[in-house]
Amino acid sequence: MRAYPSRRALIGSGLTAMAMASTVATSTASAAAADGGDTEDAAHRSRALSRARAAYAALDKYLGATDGSGLVREQYPAASGDNAYSYEWPFSQAHIAALDLAAVDKAFEPELAARAKAQEHYWNAGGGTTGLPGYASYPVAPYGSGGDMFYDDNEWVGLAKVQRHLQTGDKAALARAKEIFALVKSGWDTDTSHAAPGGVFWTQATWSNDRNTVSNMPGAQLGLRLYLITGESGYLDWSKRFYDWTNTHLQSPGGLYWDHLDLQGTIEKTIWSYNQGVPVGVNVLLHRATRDGVYLSRAKQIAKAAYAYYVTQGRLFSQPVFFNSIFFKNLLLLESVTGDGTYHRAMTDYADQVWSTMRDPETGLVHFDSSGGTQAIQQAALAQLYAVLAWPRALWPTLY
């Protein structure tokens, strides 16, 4: 485990208060708005944009660094011993919140530019253990001393860069996404003496040798995006390698995905929502890349199983909000192909329940912890949910 506030620590703190909302209430009004005519849809998206702006404003006000760095703090209120800035994983989600908002609100372009500039405070140009550059887990000098590289942390930024390129044609963003994919490839396990050899490791840190769904499937998704943009077959080949390894070793008999596998072959069988969403997106992109209908069928099957597990069976609020934002984005990517609205309605209902039950109207901050604190990554996730709910359907194909 990381020896600082991490996704594992955030998960634990984020589940304390969730028993109060163990199921997502069905909202007839929001469902009608999401599926209604042009007028209703415009009103629905306008409300979502207003809430996204408000969630982001609270993030900036209470968690934004005030030293001109463009970075954010890990949590509010700050605790004794907190670092000056958040780690890479939370910051990337704040960056992506600005990206998602800028897609529908051009007034956010300067804010996005500031976050994108701050993202580079994590860039380790000298490279990690594989010799290739990437984003470190903490800002590098002069803002910090850097840290280990996590492959999934880099993959989220790579996917964000691709999203930016797809929406605006940003060539620098595409170039950075290619650099990140090269880093991800370098994380592939080449030791055939390991149990289930292959797979991308979670981190370059020496204290973990796990190979995770979240270090392989987002890598496949990034590679598929790059293949669809460039037509270079190497991206498709590597993406299929990541995809096949994960399906072989970490997909459960029921079709959902477990968390990770260690070098002895022991599987950690927790089922996290983002580990279901990303494979849905990967299959959608494989269908787009190959025109093989089997991939679209798999995407639908995983989405159906995940919807039953989390929505129908009332487990959404057992998951961190920042996992659910990734989960729902990938379901919308599927619906950009199928034309359905089931997952969009579920996303709307979930966001609305977070807004009404987890948000302090005085500050605009969400509170998932019984202590009343707010993690930057939690606030960023709410902003992302509503920002994407404000998108017209025509933008959904650029999601991940």
Side-chain angles (χ1 to χ4, degrees), residues 303-321:
K304 182 178 179 181
Y307 181 87
Y309 187 82
Y310 291 111
V311 181
T312 305
Q313 297 174 29
R315 291 189 177 95
L316 264 181
F317 279 87
S318 72
Q319 300 294 294
V321 62

Side-chain angles (χ1 to χ4, degrees), residues 6-226:
S6 67
R7 75 206 61 204
R8 307 273 172 98
L10 289 170
I11 291 164
S13 68
L15 303 183
T16 307
M18 293 184 182
M20 63 180 286
S22 60
T23 59
V24 177
T26 300
S27 171
T28 304
S30 65
D35 263 0
D38 291 344
T39 301
E40 291 86 354
D41 183 62
H44 170 78
R45 289 192 288 109
S46 177
R47 186 192 72 152
L49 181 56
S50 177
R51 290 186 171 186
R53 288 169 176 157
Y56 190 91
L59 169 70
D60 191 51
K61 179 178 180 179
Y62 292 100
L63 290 143
T66 58
D67 58 0
S69 65
L71 296 168
V72 299
R73 295 184 293 275
E74 196 84 13
Q75 61 184 345
Y76 178 87
S80 175
D82 277 3
N83 291 320
Y85 308 111
S86 79
Y87 288 91
E88 159 58 22
W89 160 235
F91 178 80
S92 71
Q93 299 309 297
H95 175 191
I96 292 168
L99 175 68
D100 290 345
L101 269 160
V104 285
D105 185 351
K106 295 307 177 186
F108 265 83
E109 283 292 335
E111 180 66 19
L112 174 57
R115 296 298 186 203
K117 181 179 179 181
Q119 183 73 68
E120 299 313 299
H121 298 329
Y122 296 86
W123 185 251
N124 177 359
T129 61
T130 64
L132 293 176
Y135 293 102
S137 59
Y138 194 72
V140 300
Y143 296 98
S145 56
D148 296 310
M149 287 187 188
F150 288 77
Y151 292 106
D152 59 331
D153 285 1
N154 279 272
E155 289 160 354
W156 302 128
V157 182
L159 288 166
K161 295 295 185 182
V162 167
Q163 179 178 306
R164 179 65 173 174
H165 173 76
L166 291 173
Q167 293 176 352
T168 68
D170 188 325
K171 293 182 179 179
L174 178 60
R176 179 48 54 88
K178 291 179 179 179
E179 285 185 279
I180 291 171
F181 190 75
L183 172 70
V184 173
K185 287 193 302 180
S186 76
W188 181 261
D189 175 23
T190 59
D191 190 336
T192 57
S193 71
H194 293 160
V200 177
F201 288 106
W202 181 44
T203 179
Q204 294 183 356
T206 57
W207 45 260
S208 172
N209 290 303
D210 295 339
R211 292 154 294 165
N212 293 48
T213 296
V214 78
S215 53
N216 283 274
M217 280 298 190
Q221 195 165 32
L222 176 58
L224 287 164
R225 284 297 191 188
L226 291 172

Side-chain angles (χ1 to χ4, degrees), residues 88-376:
E88 159 58 22
W89 160 235
F91 178 80
S92 71
Q93 299 309 297
H95 175 191
I96 292 168
L99 175 68
D100 290 345
L101 269 160
V104 285
D105 185 351
K106 295 307 177 186
F108 265 83
E109 283 292 335
E111 180 66 19
L112 174 57
R115 296 298 186 203
K117 181 179 179 181
Q119 183 73 68
E120 299 313 299
H121 298 329
Y122 296 86
W123 185 251
N124 177 359
T129 61
T130 64
L132 293 176
Y135 293 102
S137 59
Y138 194 72
V140 300
Y143 296 98
S145 56
D148 296 310
M149 287 187 188
F150 288 77
Y151 292 106
D152 59 331
D153 285 1
N154 279 272
E155 289 160 354
W156 302 128
V157 182
L159 288 166
K161 295 295 185 182
V162 167
Q163 179 178 306
R164 179 65 173 174
H165 173 76
L166 291 173
Q167 293 176 352
T168 68
D170 188 325
K171 293 182 179 179
L174 178 60
R176 179 48 54 88
K178 291 179 179 179
E179 285 185 279
I180 291 171
F181 190 75
L183 172 70
V184 173
K185 287 193 302 180
S186 76
W188 181 261
D189 175 23
T190 59
D191 190 336
T192 57
S193 71
H194 293 160
V200 177
F201 288 106
W202 181 44
T203 179
Q204 294 183 356
T206 57
W207 45 260
S208 172
N209 290 303
D210 295 339
R211 292 154 294 165
N212 293 48
T213 296
V214 78
S215 53
N216 283 274
M217 280 298 190
Q221 195 165 32
L222 176 58
L224 287 164
R225 284 297 191 188
L226 291 172
Y227 171 72
L228 289 166
I229 292 168
T230 68
E232 296 176 19
S233 61
Y235 290 122
L236 178 60
D237 293 342
W238 271 101
S239 296
K240 286 182 175 179
R241 185 179 296 188
F242 301 157
Y243 171 83
D244 289 341
W245 183 90
T246 313
N247 285 344
T248 299
H249 300 291
L250 288 172
Q251 189 173 23
S252 73
L256 298 181
Y257 287 82
W258 295 314
D259 189 63
H260 68 261
L261 177 77
D262 66 19
L263 295 185
Q264 290 71 48
T266 303
I267 298 173
E268 207 293 301
K269 294 186 176 181
T270 302
I271 297 176
W272 298 114
S273 59
Y274 71 159
N275 280 341
Q276 319 317 314
V278 177
V280 171
V282 169
N283 277 290
V284 171
L285 296 181
L286 278 167
H287 169 67
R288 190 180 298 176
T290 66
R291 294 299 163 191
D292 188 337
V294 70
Y295 293 119
L296 186 58
S297 294
R298 289 177 185 173
K300 292 177 180 177
Q301 289 167 1
I302 298 165
K304 182 178 179 181
Y307 181 87
Y309 187 82
Y310 291 111
V311 181
T312 305
Q313 297 174 29
R315 291 189 177 95
L316 264 181
F317 279 87
S318 72
Q319 300 294 294
V321 62
F322 42 91
F323 284 6
N324 287 340
S325 62
I326 294 169
F327 171 67
F328 279 119
K329 286 181 179 184
N330 279 278
L331 294 185
L332 291 197
L333 177 59
L334 173 59
E335 288 192 331
S336 75
V337 176
T338 65
D340 194 14
T342 298
Y343 304 136
H344 181 267
R345 289 191 294 272
M347 181 178 180
T348 300
D349 290 340
Y350 171 72
D352 287 350
Q353 190 159 349
V354 171
W355 181 273
S356 63
T357 64
M358 303 293 184
R359 176 179 171 273
D360 179 355
E362 293 296 320
T363 64
L365 296 174
V366 289
H367 299 306
F368 292 94
D369 193 309
S370 59
S371 68
T374 303
Q375 302 287 342

